[in-house]
Amino acid sequence: MPAEYFSDREIGPVPQTVETLTDIAWGGVVALFRSALEIQAFGATFPEQCDDGGAVAGTDRTSLMLSLQA
């Protein structure tokens, strides 16, 4: 259960009705995605095959981006 804040006790809780992301929040999402992409975190789901043996060599960025666009 979340902590009860003084302002919530005094004037009531603020309804959680925000349905859009601020530019700052969106920037954070993009930064996290780019960090995950750099460490090949999507390689298991979107594998890029190594040319000389068929092993996974990283993330197939084209497939990942097409999936995100869909």
Side-chain angles (χ1 to χ4, degrees), residues 35-45 59:
S35 295
L37 192 58
E38 288 301 315
I39 63 168
Q40 307 299 330
F42 303 105
T45 307
T59 301

Side-chain angles (χ1 to χ4, degrees), residues 14-55:
V14 177
Q16 302 296 311
T17 58
V18 176
E19 295 183 8
T20 59
L21 290 175
T22 64
D23 289 341
I24 292 172
W26 181 247
V29 170
V30 171
L32 287 171
F33 176 78
R34 287 181 177 166
S35 295
L37 192 58
E38 288 301 315
I39 63 168
Q40 307 299 330
F42 303 105
T45 307
F46 300 96
E48 179 179 42
Q49 303 296 321
C50 182
D51 292 336
D52 64 349

